[in-house]
Amino acid sequence: MSANGRTVTRMSNPLPRVGQGADAQAVTAHRRVPGSTSYREIRAHTNHQLSSRSAPFDVRWDAELFQLHRYRTVFERLRLRARLDPALCHSAPGDSRLTLSWVLDHQAQVTDAILASIDRDDFAFGPHRRTRLALAGKLRDLLVPSWPDRILLMVMATLLIERSAAVVSRRVFSFQKGRSARMALRELAFWLRERKGQPLHIARRDIEKYGDGIVHEKLLTTLMRLPGFGESRRYRALLMQAIDPPRLDEQHLPTRIGLPAGSPIVPPLENLYLVPLDEVMAMRPGLFYARYGDDFVVASSNRAEFELATHLIDQQISRLSLRCGDDKRIDRTLSPADDPRRSAIEWLGMRVLAGGEIGTKFARFADCRRQLKQTISSLIERACRQFPSGSDAHTRFLRTGLSQLVLDLRSRHLPELIHQQNNPQLVAELDRLMASVSVRALERHAGLRRRPAWQLYRKLAVPSLTHRFREVNYGARHVTRSA
C-alpha cells in the first residue's frame, strides 16, 4: 500500500496492513490473483522436479524456495524467539504494520502470499528500517526488514548456507552447521598443546568495517562458483535485491559496496567473501589457520613460514578491497617460559595461553569476582533480615539461594567460566572466593564469630563450582568416579 492509499503491484509487503482490513478474507482475496498458482500446486510441481533424477542441480535453487518445510522451520524459530522475548510479538519493523504475533497466527496465508508473489516474479523487498543498537559494546546501525521479508530472507540464508558448504573451508567456524566459536578455540588450543615447549608465532587479524566494505561484484564472482547458482534465475534476482534493499524514509541510491547489517542473508555472504583468503591459507600445510566471520588467526612454529603467511594475508585482504583494523592487528611469539600475561593471545572473547589453556579475559574474571561478591553479600543480608539467624528457615533460604547461584550459573560471566574456558584453577579460585565471602557476610550480618560462621557454611553444603565444571567438561560418570 502506497502513502496515498493506492495499491501497488510490487511485493514490498505481501499482506494487507493490520488495521486496514487485514483479516483472513482480505488476505485470501489479495493472494488469489488471476493466473496465480497456489503454493500447494507449486509444491507438487517442485517436489516432482526434486525427485526426478534427470532434473539438473541448478533447478533446485529456485525449486527449494517453494519447499514448505523451509518456511515451517522459520516459523518455529520465530515462535521460539517470541516465547523468549514476548515484547517482540508486538513489533512491526520495516514499512509494514504487521506484527510478529499476527504473522505467526496466519502462517499459511503469509507463506501462500510470499510463494505466489515469487511465482509471479513480482516479489520486491520493502524498505528496511534503520535502527541503532549496542552490540558487543559498540553502537551499530542495523537495517531491519518487515516480518514477511525476514521470513523469506531466513529461508534464503538457510539455503545459501547449505549450498555454500562445498566452497567454504572447514577452517571456517562461523554460521555453519556443527561449527562454533568454541570449536575454533578448542582446535587452536589442541594445536598449541601438541607443540608445547617450543616458541610459536601467532597472528590475529580482524577486518575493519567488514560488512560495509564488501564489493558486490567480487562477492558475485565467488557466488558464481557455487554449483548451479548462475542458472538460478529467481534466487539470484532475489539475492541481488536483498544485498541492496531500499531504506525507510531515505532516498534509495543503488550502491555497489556494503551489505545491509541486520539482514539474515548477511552472515553466509560474509563467510563466502573471504573464500579466496581461506584457499590461500589452505595451500600452506604447516600452518594453523582458523576463521570466525572476519576474525581469524594464523600460527606456525617456523618463523619464515609465519612471515610469508602474514604477507599473503595482507595481499589477499588488499585484493578484496578490505583493511585490517590496527587495534586488533596482533603478531606475537608465545613461549611457555614467558609471563602468562604476555604469553597469550585474546581471540573470540577468550585468552589462549601458549600451553593450550583457554581462559577468560582478565577484565571479565575480575568482573565475575566483583559480581559474585555482591550477589552473595546481598543474598546473606536478605536472609538475615527476613529470618532469625540459625533457624531452619534461615538455613533453607541460604542453601537454596547459594545452590541456585552455582547450579543455574546466575552470576554474570559464570556460564563462560564453566562452559567455554578449560582452566580449572580459575574455577577453584572462585570456589575459595565464594566460601570466604559467605563466611565474612555471615559474620557481619548474622553476628557470628569466625568458627560458627564456617560451621554454618559447611552445614549449607553449597555445591562446588569445580564439581560443576568437571561435570560439564568431563561428564557425570567421570565426576562420580573422581568423587
Side-chain angles (χ1 to χ4, degrees), residues 163-183:
R163 297 301 169 85
S164 61
V167 175
V168 176
S169 168
R170 294 293 293 172
R171 305 308 305 163
V172 178
F173 295 85
S174 51
F175 313 110
Q176 293 197 83
K177 189 175 182 180
R179 318 289 281 173
S180 65
R182 186 181 182 187
M183 184 180 294

Side-chain angles (χ1 to χ4, degrees), residues 85 207 217 252 476:
D85 185 7
I207 298 175
E217 183 180 358
H252 181 222

Side-chain angles (χ1 to χ4, degrees), residues 243-310:
I243 63 176
D244 186 22
R247 277 70 162 168
L248 192 63
D249 301 327
E250 298 180 24
Q251 184 180 4
H252 181 222
L253 300 175
T255 179
R256 298 181 179 181
I257 300 177
L259 298 180
S263 173
I265 201 67
V266 170
L269 291 175
E270 291 181 343
N271 261 4
L272 282 165
Y273 193 68
L274 288 178
V275 163
L277 172 65
D278 302 334
E279 292 173 341
V280 169
M281 293 296 101
M283 298 171 62
R284 319 304 304 179
L287 208 63
F288 175 86
Y289 172 75
R291 176 167 69 87
Y292 189 87
D294 63 333
D295 197 348
F296 53 93
V297 296
V298 60
S300 176
S301 57
N302 185 288
R303 183 72 187 181
E305 180 71 21
F306 172 76
E307 291 178 351
L308 176 60
T310 55

Side-chain angles (χ1 to χ4, degrees), residues 416-478:
E416 176 183 292
L417 284 160
I418 298 298
H419 291 279
Q420 295 187 31
Q421 64 96 29
N422 65 357
N423 188 352
Q425 295 179 3
L426 297 178
V427 182
E429 183 177 338
L430 290 182
D431 269 330
R432 293 190 294 269
L433 176 72
M434 280 191 65
S436 63
V437 170
S438 299
V439 169
R440 285 198 298 270
L442 288 170
E443 291 179 36
R444 183 168 58 255
H445 299 296
L448 300 176
R449 286 183 169 273
R450 174 62 62 91
R451 186 180 183 86
W454 272 109
Q455 290 174 347
L456 176 57
Y457 181 75
R458 293 191 184 97
K459 182 181 177 181
L460 296 177
V462 180
S464 166
L465 281 170
T466 301
H467 182 92
R468 186 87 170 90
F469 174 80
R470 290 175 179 170
E471 190 177 38
V472 168
N473 288 274
Y474 308 119
R477 291 179 60 187
H478 176 87

Side-chain angles (χ1 to χ4, degrees), residues 22 60 213:
R60 298 189 179 186

Side-chain angles (χ1 to χ4, degrees), residues 76-362:
E76 287 304 315
R77 290 166 59 187
L78 292 178
R79 285 192 177 90
L80 177 60
R81 287 184 59 186
R83 286 196 294 269
L84 296 175
D85 185 7
L88 201 63
C89 296
H90 306 292
S91 64
D95 68 337
S96 167
R97 295 182 185 174
L98 294 180
T99 64
L100 177 59
S101 178
W102 192 93
V103 169
L104 294 178
D105 290 340
H106 299 80
Q107 175 177 340
Q109 298 167 10
V110 173
T111 306
D112 196 352
I114 292 173
L115 295 181
S117 183
I118 295 175
D119 188 49
R120 296 193 304 269
D121 294 328
D122 64 359
F123 190 101
F125 289 106
H128 290 27
R129 185 183 299 276
R130 187 179 297 276
T131 304
R132 176 162 291 188
L133 293 177
L135 299 175
K138 299 179 180 178
L139 285 176
R140 295 192 61 188
D141 286 334
L142 304 181
L143 294 176
V144 184
S146 64
W147 288 114
D149 284 355
R150 177 172 287 275
I151 289 167
L152 178 57
L153 288 168
M154 291 172 72
V155 171
M156 293 174 61
T158 303
L159 179 56
L160 183 59
I161 291 172
E162 293 175 2
R163 297 301 169 85
S164 61
V167 175
V168 176
S169 168
R170 294 293 293 172
R171 305 308 305 163
V172 178
F173 295 85
S174 51
F175 313 110
Q176 293 197 83
K177 189 175 182 180
R179 318 289 281 173
S180 65
R182 186 181 182 187
M183 184 180 294
L185 286 165
R186 288 191 170 187
E187 291 209 7
L188 174 59
F190 179 77
W191 187 87
L192 292 171
R193 283 196 299 271
E194 281 190 325
R195 292 153 182 82
K196 196 171 183 178
Q198 54 181 312
L200 300 171
H201 311 284
I202 187 166
R204 179 197 171 185
R205 299 288 186 271
D206 190 359
I207 298 175
E208 189 177 43
K209 297 181 180 179
Y210 178 45
D212 296 335
I214 291 179
V215 180
H216 295 178
E217 183 180 358
K218 296 179 180 180
L219 175 63
L220 185 60
T221 301
T222 303
L223 285 168
M224 294 299 287
R225 295 173 52 186
L226 300 180
F229 179 83
E231 292 77 23
S232 57
R233 178 179 59 85
R234 282 174 171 153
Y235 186 94
R236 194 172 72 253
L238 290 171
L239 185 63
M240 292 300 103
Q241 285 189 55
I243 63 176
D244 186 22
R247 277 70 162 168
L248 192 63
D249 301 327
E250 298 180 24
Q251 184 180 4
H252 181 222
L253 300 175
T255 179
R256 298 181 179 181
I257 300 177
L259 298 180
S263 173
I265 201 67
V266 170
L269 291 175
E270 291 181 343
N271 261 4
L272 282 165
Y273 193 68
L274 288 178
V275 163
L277 172 65
D278 302 334
E279 292 173 341
V280 169
M281 293 296 101
M283 298 171 62
R284 319 304 304 179
L287 208 63
F288 175 86
Y289 172 75
R291 176 167 69 87
Y292 189 87
D294 63 333
D295 197 348
F296 53 93
V297 296
V298 60
S300 176
S301 57
N302 185 288
R303 183 72 187 181
E305 180 71 21
F306 172 76
E307 291 178 351
L308 176 60
T310 55
H311 172 72
L312 292 173
I313 288 173
D314 293 339
Q315 189 178 70
Q316 287 298 317
I317 294 299
S318 177
R319 287 178 179 176
L320 292 171
S321 304
L322 299 171
R323 180 179 179 274
C324 291
D326 294 332
D327 55 334
K328 293 185 179 179
R329 186 186 182 96
I330 300 173
D331 293 297
R332 188 166 296 170
T333 299
L334 304 184
S335 174
D338 294 338
D339 177 41
R341 289 179 177 268
R342 289 183 296 142
S343 187
I345 189 167
E346 292 186 354
W347 186 47
L348 301 181
M350 306 295 287
R351 293 181 68 252
V352 185
L353 294 114
E357 296 85 5
I358 302 174
T360 189
K361 292 182 178 179
F362 289 119

